[in-house]
Amino acid sequence: MEKWNMMTVVVLLGLTIRWTVSLNSYSGAGKPPMYGDYEAQRHWQEITFNLPVKQWYFNTSDNNLQYWGLDYPPLTAYHSLLCAYVAKFINPDWIALHTSRGYESQAHKLFMRSTVFVADMLIYIPAVVLYCYCLKDTSTKKKIANALCILLYPGLILIDYGHFQYNSVSLGFALWGVLGVSCDCDLLGSLAFCLAINYKQMELYHSLPFFCFLLGKCFKKGLKGKGFVLLIKLGGTVVASFILCWLPFFTDKEQTLQVLRRLFPVDRGLFEDKVANIWCSFNVFLKIKDILPHHTQVIISFCFTFLSLLPACIKLTLQPSSKGFKFTLVSCALSFFLFSFQVHEKSILLVSLPVCLILNEIPFMSTWFLLVSTFSMLPLLLKDELLMPLVVTTMAFFIACATSFSIFEKTSEEELQLKSFSNSVRKYLPCFTFLPRIIQHLFLISVVTMVLLTLMTVTLDPPQKLPDLFSVLVCFVSCLNFLFFLAYFNITIMWDSRNGKNQKKIN
């Protein structure tokens, strides 16, 4: 009973911080003609409620796609429609066709914030609590501490409640999927992950680890017996869930193609805004978008993404394990963020979720990564006037992680999960004993750089000739950090001998 009382306190604290952040301004408040992401979510309610399904993704006189046209999968549209019915009941002016554009009032702000709050409570937070409760070989105190740190992760709070989006829905479904396949409820896990993809197409960042983990399970059971049956069931679950979500759009080929064009706008180019991936950072020195043809950019992006995630996916398929699955989720999502086409700064949340899931296993590196991921969105957060919430939530998260996991005491080779790698290197370099010290120094340099850049961005005006100087520096520094983390997570995956040992025991 005491355990559940403590978990309730943790959840209430997480909800309180979320609601407090939501009291700030929102993306694009009072800034016509587009206003911002808050208006995008409101506008989708207006469109889905007032127009027939066949017009949701098409450009018409009533649906100008240049004004926040719907560009997420059908499940997002259905969610917007559900919210619209509630809005219609409270105040029809909030979703009136055309006349509601840019609608701003305290009552409507309260309503919109409440929709995020309710979605969080129904989907994301229960998944976090259940995940932490199911952690094996972990004390009750550590489970509660783990839930606290995950719920305090500032990146998701600031984007969903400050900037205003519903990332907790897709991430929550993905987490239910992780829970399902990790606990051998493979069909339920597959269904949950299909819902995640059908809510936000960026969940494709996680798709290959899910596919490889489940395929590896089928191989392990034997493709001539139970494994083949499981494969058929999984395929049926995926096909059925997609058909149900897309049914209104399968009536006409052009409908289906138009939705796909809206979901994958390849014509927009390699990147749009300042984002902490390799292409935006490298573009500072070499104007890739101007030098290379569009189709070449697509091919190069695909090749780099595929090659960077391939080793981890192959190992997961050959040696499926829950631990390997979580680490591969991190590696693949980070590869997509760094190298794929048309990445947005908020997509780092797709990497942050699986990192949250391994907080208990590598607290030092996970905490470090989650701090960098929040910092990488600094230009966006400052644009939304979220400086104070950023500072407060980041400090609360860091203090919670530092005290709950004693992260500065968890920097040995074993606790960084680099023992196998170090032993391999020491066969050729016996003096290779300094890796933990290097990582500690890199952490210190990283944190000091992030603090200094934040202070400079907030207090100094950039040179007139370089108006985006600080934004570019934030992206470049974050990208360097992410490249380091990509190398680190791939090393831990490829040199994880315990996966192989556990596999032999199972077989």
Side-chain angles (χ1 to χ4, degrees), residues 35-50:
Y35 296 97
D37 273 30
Y38 177 93
E39 168 63 9
Q41 304 294 336
R42 187 216 60 78
H43 180 63
W44 292 347
Q45 295 176 22
E46 170 195 344
I47 292 302
T48 54
F49 185 84
N50 290 288

Side-chain angles (χ1 to χ4, degrees), residues 386-497:
L386 292 169
L387 176 62
M388 188 56 67
L390 168 64
V391 173
V392 173
T393 54
T394 302
M395 289 300 298
F397 170 76
F398 179 70
I399 292 170
C401 290
T403 55
S404 300
F405 295 107
S406 304
I407 59 174
F408 297 111
E409 300 172 11
K410 302 286 182 67
T411 56
S412 65
E413 287 181 351
E414 292 86 350
E415 285 158 332
L416 292 174
Q417 302 205 7
L418 292 171
K419 185 71 173 179
S420 298
F421 172 72
S422 298
N423 286 338
S424 299
V425 176
R426 276 194 285 269
K427 291 178 182 178
Y428 307 97
L429 293 173
C431 61
F432 188 75
T433 59
F434 46 81
L435 188 56
R437 289 197 301 276
I438 291 176
I439 289 178
Q440 290 169 20
H441 291 145
L442 288 175
F443 170 79
L444 183 61
I445 293 170
S446 174
V447 170
V448 170
T449 304
M450 289 190 291
V451 171
L452 289 177
L453 263 178
T454 302
L455 291 173
M456 291 169 62
T457 305
V458 171
T459 59
L460 301 178
D461 293 324
Q464 289 185 350
K465 293 183 178 180
L466 300 169
D468 296 326
L469 175 64
F470 296 136
S471 297
V472 170
L473 285 174
V474 168
C475 294
F476 186 73
V477 168
S478 301
C479 182
L480 289 178
N481 278 271
F482 291 146
L483 285 170
F484 163 75
F485 282 114
L486 181 65
Y488 166 78
F489 283 114
N490 274 289
I491 287 171
T492 57
I493 291 168
M494 302 311 294
W495 268 268
D496 184 12
S497 57

Side-chain angles (χ1 to χ4, degrees), residues 264-499:
F264 303 104
V266 182
D267 293 338
R268 289 185 184 177
L270 195 58
F271 59 88
E272 278 188 88
D273 216 334
K274 303 293 186 298
V275 57
N277 74 348
I278 195 71
W279 307 123
C280 189
S281 301
F282 192 62
N283 196 68
V284 175
F285 308 102
L286 185 66
K287 303 301 179 184
I288 309 171
K289 293 176 74 173
D290 299 330
I291 296 174
L292 298 177
H294 184 272
H295 68 278
T296 305
Q297 296 173 29
V298 174
I299 293 170
I300 291 176
S301 172
F302 172 80
C303 291
F304 271 87
T305 306
F306 181 72
L307 291 174
S308 64
L309 56 80
L310 188 60
C313 286
I314 290 175
K315 179 162 186 183
L316 181 62
T317 306
L318 299 177
Q319 297 179 358
S321 70
S322 293
K323 179 191 171 184
F325 172 51
K326 289 184 288 187
F327 274 74
T328 306
L329 280 170
V330 177
S331 174
C332 285
L334 190 51
S335 292
F336 269 99
F337 180 82
L338 284 170
F339 300 112
S340 64
F341 204 85
Q342 263 296 306
V343 174
H344 294 271
E345 58 268 67
K346 292 161 284 193
S347 299
I348 196 61
L349 298 178
L350 293 155
V351 192
S352 300
L353 173 69
V355 173
C356 285
L357 304 185
I358 56 176
L359 255 173
N360 192 53
E361 299 182 48
I362 44 170
F364 178 80
M365 297 301 290
S366 297
T367 301
W368 181 7
F369 178 90
L370 294 171
L371 290 173
V372 176
S373 70
T374 304
F375 169 76
S376 71
M377 297 184 286
L378 179 65
L380 175 66
L381 298 174
L382 291 180
K383 190 186 297 183
D384 292 335
E385 300 178 3
L386 292 169
L387 176 62
M388 188 56 67
L390 168 64
V391 173
V392 173
T393 54
T394 302
M395 289 300 298
F397 170 76
F398 179 70
I399 292 170
C401 290
T403 55
S404 300
F405 295 107
S406 304
I407 59 174
F408 297 111
E409 300 172 11
K410 302 286 182 67
T411 56
S412 65
E413 287 181 351
E414 292 86 350
E415 285 158 332
L416 292 174
Q417 302 205 7
L418 292 171
K419 185 71 173 179
S420 298
F421 172 72
S422 298
N423 286 338
S424 299
V425 176
R426 276 194 285 269
K427 291 178 182 178
Y428 307 97
L429 293 173
C431 61
F432 188 75
T433 59
F434 46 81
L435 188 56
R437 289 197 301 276
I438 291 176
I439 289 178
Q440 290 169 20
H441 291 145
L442 288 175
F443 170 79
L444 183 61
I445 293 170
S446 174
V447 170
V448 170
T449 304
M450 289 190 291
V451 171
L452 289 177
L453 263 178
T454 302
L455 291 173
M456 291 169 62
T457 305
V458 171
T459 59
L460 301 178
D461 293 324
Q464 289 185 350
K465 293 183 178 180
L466 300 169
D468 296 326
L469 175 64
F470 296 136
S471 297
V472 170
L473 285 174
V474 168
C475 294
F476 186 73
V477 168
S478 301
C479 182
L480 289 178
N481 278 271
F482 291 146
L483 285 170
F484 163 75
F485 282 114
L486 181 65
Y488 166 78
F489 283 114
N490 274 289
I491 287 171
T492 57
I493 291 168
M494 302 311 294
W495 268 268
D496 184 12
S497 57
R498 282 177 291 181
N499 276 356

Side-chain angles (χ1 to χ4, degrees), residues 1-17 129 144 147-148 151-152:
M1 181 61 71
E2 183 180 351
K3 173 177 68 176
W4 285 109
N5 288 338
M6 285 299 297
M7 192 65 83
T8 302
V9 171
V10 166
V11 171
L12 289 175
L13 177 61
L15 289 173
T16 301
I17 291 177
V129 172
I144 294 171
L148 174 65
L151 292 178
L152 288 182

